Amino acid sequence: MSHDHAFFIALSYGVTAIAVIGTIAAIMLDHRRLKKALAAMGVTVAARDDGQHLD
Amino acid sequence: MKSPLAALFVREFAIARRIGGGGSMGVVFLLVLVTIVPFAIGPDLNLLRRIGPAILWIAALLAMLLGLDRLFQADFEDGSLDQLQLGATPLEFVVFVKCLAHWATTALPLVVAAPLFGVLMAQEAASMLGIGVSLLVGTPALTFIGAVGAAATVSLRRGGLLMALLVLPLCVPALIFGVSAATAASGGTIPFATPLAILAALTLASGALCPFAAAALLRRLGE
Amino acid sequence: MEAVDFALSDGQALILSGPNGAGKSTLLRAIAGLLPLAAGRLTLDDDSEEIAASLHYIGHAEGMKPALTVRENLDFWSSFLSRESAAAALAPQDALTAFGLAHVIDIPAGYLSAGQKRRIALARLLVAPRPIWLLDEPTTALDVRAQAALAAVMARHRAGGGIVLAATHSPVGLENAGELKLGTVA
Amino acid sequence: MLRFANPSFVLRFAARAIPIFGALAALLLAVGLYLVFFVAPADYQQGETVRIMYIHVPAAWLGMFAYMVMASAALGTLVWRHPVADAAQKSAAPLGAMFTFVCLVTGSLWGKPMWGTYWVWDARLTSMLVLLLIYLALIALWNTIEEPQRAAKAAAVMTLVGLVNIPIIKFSVDWWNTLHQPASVFKTSGPAIYGSMLWPLLIMAVGATFLFLALHLMSIRNEILRRRLDRLTRLAASANDMPRTARFEAAQ
């Protein structure tokens, strides 16, 4: 494995890992913030809102 | 209690971040322009390397104008412009701070993105640095000059195009010295510092003069 | 617009009435300094303060940014329009309570109805207090309860020595206020 | 199929499906990575850098797969007009953009040893760049139009228009590429793939697909909650006598 090949492989997998983990983190943080905001408004997240299920 | 101008800067910053994804629209517009050029000219890397800085500068200039026509229009439409004139701070300072906020939200992302997009134009590291520095120094001038155009067309329903026509000729000096500074960065006869110094002078001059012109255009805007 | 002359002292109010297009808004904007005065003078006898510093103009558009929450909007205007010499400014919370809107303080202004936006614009009077109020059609889009709240706020302002100039053609709840009829010359 | 129109049903389905897809993705990717680094042979011509192919190619597939998912959600929006389709459409765009971006970066890094520069206007990479631009434009569209229904309809039509254009773009970019470059120095269609390389590639691709499905369901759940929060905030604003002050930081 010549030196620069290893560098490019590592860089590629590194960038991919950052992109994937970043996306996962962003989505989970967004989820937590939304649940907190909904809870603050007195609505449990899984509350069945049959009334307006086609909101 | 924040000072009026600090409060204004914070408000402009918050609005830019919440609507339309802040400066990201300008960066995507820059990427689109940089991408379509090779489709027209061809993928010849040597040619693209030579004209890279010029293309990036023109694309950045157009991306800057993109957001500028809304600089005062939003305030004009929702009545904020009246109140901004009735505050204790002179309208000139208000215009200056609004330009600063617009530069921070629109131009700074461009200054970071343009060199990276230089990869598509086969630019070397030195040239990328030159492009970044020349944009950093030159974009304030574009904002200040653009603000005058924005103030002139604020009450027009679709003033964006007219504003570009008014502003682009005035931006020619900044474009010339900006591109020459960017190309000088990757070697060449002209030393990098000379065009950059003139560019800095253009920015300082427009920063000092344009707010007065823009404020004059905005003050006592008859219904 | 033909010659207009009036004088107001502390606690007084003046209603500018007349058909649409009679120049009510134009006169108010001219007093506020948003329009150049073709002729005539605007004087303030207590000359410690220049005129612009003692006026608060509320126009048709309420100057609220839809993307910002009501608190952010009012905080901005209180910082921007604040005067050291002015009486104590109310916090956004209290200013909104005076108009029965305390519950919307953390909601983006874009979510609110026209009547609520109107009341928030009027709340700006309390957040950035000035002696003289210039109100252009203050009661548009306000329901009866909101109009009562506005009348109470104006009464308190006048009791404290403030002056109110309102351009309107519907009753605005200002007792013993002078009236300046602006009619188009026959 | 109509039961999927009910957001609450989707929330419950997501709550069960996300862990399963996530676990499958993790397992497959782990096995795939092991195969890629310890089993798959180096390429006789490129040497070790061929291992970048095992993320570059799946990323390209996912970039396009995400667009197909977004386009079918767009149909859902236009034909059945139910909000879960809007959510599915809106949340597919950023994921598609992420996979396309990864494809471009890994493609550029993979090409560097051969081309000598990070970017050559190679036909397939250029087409992926245009796809990324389409994704970014759609995301900007979603960010700009505040009113959810209108944004969904506009994005749906633009997505379908884009879908029709993608093959045309692909064809014209290929034609543009051959027009200017008589013989491309090194066709990066990649080396001939032998069995021993095919398996890791397929495992990585399937693993990435499950990753996408898990992330997509999580994003759809977020969009449903965001719209519910938005609706409750409007209700709180209009209800004059709110028992509790409604706290709402801009969740956009």
Side-chain angles (χ1 to χ4, degrees), chain B residues 136-198:
Chain B
L136 182 68
V137 171
T139 40
L142 305 180
T143 303
F144 286 121
I145 298 171
V148 180
T153 60
V154 69
S155 52
L156 302 180
R157 199 69 212 93
R158 284 180 33 352
L161 194 56
L162 175 61
M163 189 210 76
L165 292 185
L166 292 171
V167 162
L168 278 173
L170 308 179
C171 292
V172 163
L175 181 65
I176 289 172
F177 289 107
V179 172
S180 71
T183 32
S186 51
T189 53
I190 318 162
F192 176 65
T194 321
L196 197 72
I198 302 171

Side-chain angles (χ1 to χ4, degrees), chain C:
Chain C
M1 207 169 67
E2 79 289 358
V4 159
D5 186 15
F6 60 86
L8 287 170
S9 58
D10 289 3
Q12 284 191 316
L14 180 68
I15 293 181
L16 305 178
S17 61
N20 270 345
K24 302 194 292 294
S25 297
T26 317
L27 177 58
L28 267 189
R29 287 181 72 86
I31 297 170
L34 293 171
L35 287 178
L37 281 174
R41 283 176 299 95
L42 199 62
T43 54
L44 193 64
D45 42 32
D46 132 34
D47 50 21
S48 66
E49 195 82 51
E50 11 90 15
I51 295 174
S54 48
L55 300 174
H56 198 146
Y57 168 76
I58 302 284
H60 294 300
E62 69 287 340
M64 295 293 155
K65 292 294 178 188
L68 300 179
T69 65
V70 173
R71 183 195 300 272
E72 286 165 333
N73 273 302
L74 288 178
D75 276 342
F76 165 68
W77 286 120
S78 82
S79 307
F80 190 80
L81 294 171
S82 68
R83 288 272 177 212
E84 305 71 23
S85 60
L90 281 181
Q93 187 76 26
D94 313 329
L96 287 169
T97 319
F99 284 95
L101 276 177
H103 66 289
V104 299
I105 191 156
D106 279 318
I107 293 171
Y111 282 55
L112 303 176
S113 67
Q116 289 171 320
K117 283 185 185 159
R118 195 78 198 127
R119 282 187 272 164
I120 291 164
L122 293 169
R124 195 169 57 219
L125 291 166
L126 305 175
V127 162
R130 296 276 183 82
I132 303 171
W133 289 359
L134 307 174
L135 309 179
D136 198 344
E137 308 287 353
T139 52
T140 45
L142 293 189
D143 58 25
V144 176
R145 244 160 16 100
Q147 285 179 15
L150 174 61
V153 164
M154 287 196 290
R156 228 179 296 115
H157 176 66
R158 288 173 64 195
I163 294 174
V164 175
L165 244 86
T168 178
H169 40 66
S170 60
V172 84
L174 272 170
E175 297 84 15
N176 50 58
E179 181 162 358
L180 183 65
K181 270 195 100 43
L182 293 174
T184 48
V185 177

